[in-house]
Amino acid sequence: MTNSQTPQITIAIDGYSSSGKSTMARQLAKTIGYRYIDSGAMYRAVTLYALRHDMINRADNSVNAPLLVASLPEIAIDFKVDGDNQSTLLNGENVETEIRSIAVSQCVSPVAAIPQVRHALVAMQQKMGESKGIVMDGRDIGTTVFPKAEMKVFVRASAQTRAQRRLNEMIEKGIATTFEEILANVVSRDHIDETRDESPLRCADDAIVLDNSVMSVEEQNNWLLDLYKKVVASL
Ligand code: CDP
């Protein structure tokens, strides 16, 4: 649906954990022929690296921040696109499944709160978006990574709804867990993400807010595509 006359823009989609951001961001990128970047996957990949190198105390999920920061130059993150599938690569290894594990979900927000980790990943993300034509989802895309993005969306839904969606995903993947465990993780990550000092989860002043608690996937995809068309038409 893009053509040579359509300007390439930057699209930032932020919001709460398991709010359906990735689903809608991925679908929009596919429909309009843009690159999609899941910034959360990058924080998850760094977390997996830290777990594998014993930099996280699993008793309380505290991170050995100096050690992790010193290792940042050794961590390369990339994405591999294969048809409709996108995989996250950590130092060349496909870690797409492992970064979605409960262990990574439990440790990722403390890792993402370390300022030097954020600086390194934000710099990578800004480089990825240099030539526009990108949809990126996360927590700070509209506020910190691309504050000048032409289109910004902030997605919210109740914690119960989000936990149920995440549970359905886990069941589909055959991962054993409970609603209570997921709800606790969603609530705890929201809290850490909102209260950290370095670029906390916050709705950008110029973002359009979408509460998708009672929307189907198709409805939210259509809503996002309509918004994109309006934004591009207004340029
Ligand atoms: O998929 P879900 O929404 O549960 O989370 P995610 O997008 O995979 O992100 C995992 C975690 O990374 C979040 O809970 C945040 O702590 C952190 N994150 C962040 O701090 N900044 C971003 N731009 C993206 C993710």
Side-chain angles (χ1 to χ4, degrees):
M1 79 161 275
T2 47
N3 60 43
S4 52
Q5 276 96 51
T6 312
Q8 296 270 297
I9 63 167
T10 302
I11 302 177
I13 304 193
D14 288 303
Y16 288 89
S17 99
S18 314
S19 59
K21 306 179 298 291
S22 307
T23 307
M24 66 199 278
R26 189 178 292 113
Q27 183 56 47
L28 178 68
K30 189 178 165 202
T31 309
I32 64 177
Y34 274 27
R35 185 162 187 220
Y36 165 64
I37 299 292
D38 172 358
S39 69
M42 300 171 71
Y43 290 94
R44 287 175 178 272
V46 173
T47 304
L48 180 62
Y49 181 95
L51 276 168
R52 284 179 173 177
H53 291 81
D54 293 326
M55 296 174 186
I56 300 181
N57 176 354
R58 291 294 278 132
D60 60 0
N61 293 335
S62 58
V63 188
N64 184 334
L67 197 56
L68 178 56
V69 169
S71 306
L72 285 174
E74 283 148 41
I75 306 178
I77 300 166
D78 213 339
F79 293 98
K80 186 180 86 178
V81 183
D82 183 7
D84 273 0
N85 290 325
Q86 180 160 308
S87 307
T88 309
L89 305 181
L90 170 60
N91 291 334
E93 176 192 348
N94 185 339
V95 291
E96 188 54 38
T97 304
E98 233 179 310
I99 60 169
R100 311 288 164 192
S101 66
I102 290 274
V104 170
S105 294
Q106 284 169 340
C107 303
V108 63
S109 288
V111 168
I114 300 169
Q116 294 91 330
V117 169
R118 302 204 70 79
H119 296 163
L121 294 193
V122 167
M124 276 188 220
Q125 291 153 6
Q126 289 173 332
K127 204 158 177 24
M128 291 170 175
E130 262 170 0
S131 47
K132 298 194 172 232
I134 192 166
V135 182
M136 191 175 290
D137 78 349
R139 302 292 189 283
D140 60 341
I141 311 305
T143 52
T144 304
V145 181
F146 300 129
K148 295 199 175 123
E150 292 85 351
M151 174 168 157
K152 295 182 186 177
V153 175
F154 189 85
V155 192
R156 51 170 77 250
S158 74
Q160 305 278 333
T161 304
R162 291 183 284 126
Q164 188 58 52
R165 287 178 185 160
R166 179 51 56 96
L167 180 66
N168 296 346
E169 260 174 42
M170 296 295 218
I171 291 171
E172 242 170 62
K173 289 182 189 160
I175 300 172
T177 183
T178 62
F179 178 79
E180 286 68 30
E181 187 176 30
I182 294 193
L183 183 62
N185 179 244
V186 161
V187 171
S188 134
R189 278 199 290 142
D190 285 352
H191 178 72
I192 301 175
D193 293 348
E194 283 177 313
T195 56
R196 69 179 172 229
D197 290 334
E198 187 76 26
S199 56
L201 170 65
R202 182 176 72 72
C203 179
D205 295 336
D206 50 351
I208 312 268
V209 178
L210 172 70
D211 187 320
N212 66 359
S213 299
V214 293
M215 266 180 157
S216 68
V217 169
E218 200 190 345
E219 282 167 339
Q220 69 176 26
N221 287 343
N222 291 338
W223 180 90
L224 195 64
L225 184 59
D226 283 348
L227 180 66
Y228 162 77
K229 287 178 184 163
K230 276 188 211 138
V231 170
V232 166
S234 72
L235 292 175

